[in-house]
Amino acid sequence: KEEVLVISSHYDHVGVSSTGDAFNGADDDGSGTSALLEIARTFQIAVSSGEKPERGILFLAVSGEEKGLFGSQYYTDNPVFPLAQTIVDLNIDMVGRQDTIQKNSNYIYLIGSDRISKELHHISEQINKKHIKFNLDYTYNEKNDPNRFYERSDHYNFAKSNIPVIFYFGGLHEDYHKPTDTVDKIDFEKLEKVTKYVFLTAWELAYRKDKIKK
């Protein structure tokens, strides 16, 4: 296809501690990588059933995120498909837990959805309203947010090339970048719901006739 949308996550973590404890990274970003694989599997079923999209979909699992977004930077420096033909990056990072701020798990932080394309932001909100019904939290999308999460995951290398992005993020919890970020603490119902949300958004972007406007 002449156009492509990217769905990304990172599969690296921070390694082993000085005492030999493995940093498991179940949420960061085993959760996002699992979502990516399931979305890819589901799209393949759809295409095999005759549902041909209007544009291509690139499933991008990268390494080097924790050390400086190196994997996604390498891709945007050496793209398989021209960046001028890349319509969006949907980036999934830490989506399997409830953070220390929210009162329940029925939320997701969205970062960057309105920064380059207002239409992307509108599509995202409509998908959520119709199908998912998350409480969408844009706290970390504020340009004066001291955490600067907009610049801290792989979508940022696409955004720097003026490609619309959405960063799906569950927030920070007590096991962030600790060996205790283990799979037994994953909220699989939340992870499933986030995965459906990204899939349905990607479906709309892949199958709609018109490219989203910036």
Side-chain angles (χ1 to χ4, degrees):
K1 299 292 186 178
E2 292 183 359
E3 296 174 350
V4 65
L5 67 99
V6 178
I7 307 173
S8 61
S9 65
H10 72 90
Y11 62 85
D12 63 307
H13 199 44
V14 295
V16 178
S17 72
S18 59
T19 58
D21 295 317
F23 289 84
N24 295 281
D27 190 34
D28 185 14
D29 186 29
S31 61
T33 304
S34 298
L36 180 76
L37 292 171
E38 184 65 11
I39 293 167
R41 185 185 73 85
T42 307
F43 267 113
Q44 187 58 59
I45 292 172
V47 172
S48 298
S49 301
E51 297 284 352
K52 301 299 183 183
E54 295 292 326
R55 46 194 58 84
I57 308 168
L58 174 65
F59 301 96
L60 184 67
V62 296
S63 188
E65 191 269 356
E66 299 288 3
K67 298 298 183 181
L69 314 184
F70 293 135
S72 54
Q73 180 183 342
Y74 183 84
Y75 178 81
T76 54
D77 288 345
N78 305 272
V80 177
F81 301 97
L83 296 183
Q85 295 170 213
T86 302
I87 68 161
V88 73
D89 173 47
L90 305 179
N91 184 51
I92 318 167
D93 192 353
M94 293 184 64
V95 294
R97 295 276 298 270
Q98 181 179 336
D99 73 358
T100 58
I101 299 172
Q102 301 287 338
K103 295 180 180 179
N104 59 59
S105 62
N106 189 46
Y107 74 94
I108 194 69
Y109 295 106
L110 296 185
I111 303 172
S113 63
D114 64 346
R115 296 223 184 174
I116 298 173
S117 170
K118 301 296 184 184
E119 186 174 20
L120 175 62
H121 180 74
H122 176 72
I123 289 169
S124 170
E125 291 209 322
Q126 289 301 306
I127 293 292
N128 180 66
K129 182 178 180 180
K130 183 176 181 180
H131 299 288
I132 305 299
K133 297 177 173 54
F134 265 143
N135 294 319
L136 302 181
D137 194 318
Y138 296 99
T139 299
Y140 297 130
N141 189 50
E142 297 295 331
K143 291 186 178 180
N144 60 354
D145 172 46
N147 298 282
R148 300 179 67 183
F149 287 127
Y150 181 68
E151 302 170 16
R152 289 173 54 185
S153 193
D154 291 299
H155 62 282
Y156 186 56
N157 283 310
F158 290 89
K160 288 194 295 184
S161 296
N162 200 38
I163 295 168
V165 300
I166 301 178
F167 173 20
Y168 301 86
F169 180 51
L172 302 181
H173 47 70
E174 60 273 12
D175 300 305
Y176 174 66
H177 280 195
K178 294 180 180 178
T180 50
D181 182 8
T182 52
V183 69
D184 57 294
K185 297 175 182 177
I186 294 295
D187 180 344
F188 285 98
E189 289 186 3
K190 174 167 186 171
L191 178 54
E192 178 184 8
K193 195 169 182 178
V194 175
T195 304
K196 288 179 177 178
Y197 186 19
V198 181
F199 169 77
L200 290 169
T201 304
W203 180 281
E204 171 63 24
L205 297 171
Y207 284 85
R208 72 199 313 262
K209 292 294 183 181
D210 297 325
K211 178 179 176 180
I212 60 170
K213 298 180 179 66
K214 295 182 181 179

